[in-house]
């Protein structure tokens, strides 16, 4: 396991050398500063009297602060979830293909490391980057809205954790793809397909009746049964961020399903990587 953690650190140093982390932090900071400067909230005795966004009056009904802020927290949670996933799919798509490129992979395999440690370390390093970015953005949001309104909630942090779980499942698919083809474009395409499939899988009960009864509907149900419920995870994260009731039947069951999919896909990638001749 120490070998896997060492490779995870290697991935983080690689990201730093590419100025990845700096660009990531600057981008999130810019969004937070824009929100802090453009959003003005007038709070009286725990109630929100008015909201101004970019100088325009956006809300003038007097309601409790926690209720009034729910749409903002919910929108931020969706932005962190889907924005983070799309950014991660594009930004991290070439990490694994680069690691497996000719010359570098032979060098890494010559080190006293097991192959599973090499692949698991890459997975952990990329997921750690995604988790750090999601937490950074969420903590900034909590601080900005907390200072402006006096209302503090850890909901956005829980949403960030759920977003990281969703990205981990998607990146497991991208990493497994890299063991088959050393192509950043195909890894990104596999991640994008997993994201779209995960959204469809979340609404499979509503979408299936729209298809013709027969092989097409059966195939849709069979494929979406295996995919992680990405959109359901995003909805749960938005509800947690807004301190609203969860719409999902069981958050533990939802997380377990996503984790099983991610670990199963990662196991396939490990199996393929162990048997490959470099």
């Amino acid at each position: 396991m120490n070998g896997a953690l060492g490779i995870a650190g290697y991935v983080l140093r690689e990201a730093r050398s590419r100025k990845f982390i700096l660009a990531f932090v600057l981008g999130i900071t810019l969004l937070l500063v824009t929100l802090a400067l453009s959003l003005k909230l007038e709070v009286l005795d725990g109630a929100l009297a008015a909201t101004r966004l970019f100088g325009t009056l956006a809300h003038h009904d007097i309601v409790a602060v926690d209720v009034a802020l729910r749409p903002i927290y919910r929108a931020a949670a969706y932005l962190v979830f889907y924005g983070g996933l799309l950014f991660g799919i594009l930004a991290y798509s070439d990490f694994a293909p680069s690691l497996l490129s000719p010359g570098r992979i032979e060098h890494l395999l010559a080190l006293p490391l097991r192959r599973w440690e090499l692949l698991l370390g890459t997975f952990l390093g990329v997921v750690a980057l995604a988790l750090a970015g999601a937490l950074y953005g969420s903590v900034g949001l909590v601080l900005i809205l907390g200072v402006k309104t006096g209302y503090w909630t850890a909901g956005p942090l829980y949403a960030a954790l759920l977003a990281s779980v969703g990205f981990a499942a998607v990146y497991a698919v991208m990493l497994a793809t890299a063991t088959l083809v050393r192509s950043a474009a195909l890894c990104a395409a596999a991640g994008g397909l997993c994201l779209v499939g995960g959204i469809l899988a979340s609404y499979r009960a509503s979408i299936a009746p729209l298809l013709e009864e027969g092989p097409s509907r059966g195939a849709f149900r069979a494929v979406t049964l295996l995919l992680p419920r990405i959109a359901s995870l995003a909805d749960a994260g938005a509800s947690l961020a807004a301190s609203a009731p969860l719409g999902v039947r069981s958050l533990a069951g939802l997380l377990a399903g996503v984790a099983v999919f991610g670990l199963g896909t990662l196991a396939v990638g490990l199996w393929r990587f162990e048997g490959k001749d470099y």
Side-chain angles (χ1 to χ4, degrees):
M1 191 63 187
N2 288 338
L5 295 178
I7 292 298
Y10 175 76
V11 169
L12 295 178
R13 291 192 295 275
E14 175 83 5
R16 185 179 61 182
S17 68
R18 296 184 187 185
K19 308 300 181 188
F20 242 89
I21 294 179
L22 180 61
F24 197 34
V25 170
L26 285 178
I28 296 174
T29 303
L30 182 62
L31 287 175
L32 291 174
V33 170
T34 302
L35 178 65
L37 295 178
S38 60
L39 184 63
K40 297 187 182 304
L41 304 170
E42 297 175 20
V43 180
L44 299 172
D45 296 330
L48 188 67
T51 302
R52 294 181 187 277
L53 188 62
F54 294 108
T56 302
L57 191 63
H59 189 278
H60 53 78
D61 296 328
I62 298 179
V63 294
V65 170
D66 59 330
V67 176
L69 291 182
R70 280 180 180 173
I72 295 177
Y73 281 121
R74 189 178 288 277
Y78 280 120
L79 180 63
V80 168
F81 193 95
Y82 287 114
L85 253 65
L86 289 173
F87 177 84
I89 288 172
L90 295 175
Y92 306 137
S93 61
D94 71 331
F95 269 72
S98 174
L99 199 74
L100 301 174
S101 62
R104 174 175 283 191
I105 185 61
E106 287 83 358
H107 169 71
L108 291 172
L109 290 176
L111 298 175
L113 292 170
R114 297 181 179 90
R115 290 195 175 198
W116 67 265
E117 291 177 321
L118 191 59
L119 210 63
L120 181 61
T122 305
F123 177 79
L124 293 177
V126 172
V127 171
L129 279 172
L131 176 61
L135 286 178
Y136 178 69
S138 300
V139 169
L141 181 68
V142 168
L143 290 176
I144 289 171
L145 294 180
V147 169
K148 283 178 174 287
T149 65
Y151 172 69
W152 298 91
T153 174
L157 303 183
Y158 301 138
L161 294 176
L162 293 187
S164 300
V165 172
F167 176 74
V170 172
Y171 189 69
V173 173
M174 296 169 65
L175 192 56
T177 302
T179 63
L180 299 172
V181 287
R182 286 185 294 215
S183 166
L186 288 179
C187 286
L193 286 175
C194 180
L195 173 60
V196 174
I199 294 173
L200 294 176
S202 301
Y203 305 110
R204 62 192 298 270
S206 302
I207 296 175
L210 302 178
L211 302 175
E212 285 288 340
E213 189 171 1
S216 59
R217 185 186 296 183
F220 175 78
R221 282 180 167 164
V223 172
T224 53
L225 182 64
L226 302 174
L227 294 173
R229 307 298 194 258
I230 297 293
S232 297
L233 204 59
D235 293 340
S239 297
L240 285 174
S243 301
L246 289 176
V248 296
R249 187 179 305 172
S250 169
L251 181 58
L254 177 62
L255 287 172
V258 175
V260 167
F261 174 84
L263 292 174
T265 307
L266 192 60
V268 172
L270 288 171
W271 168 76
R272 171 65 184 167
F273 188 52
E274 287 283 355
K276 197 163 184 177
D277 185 23
Y278 290 98

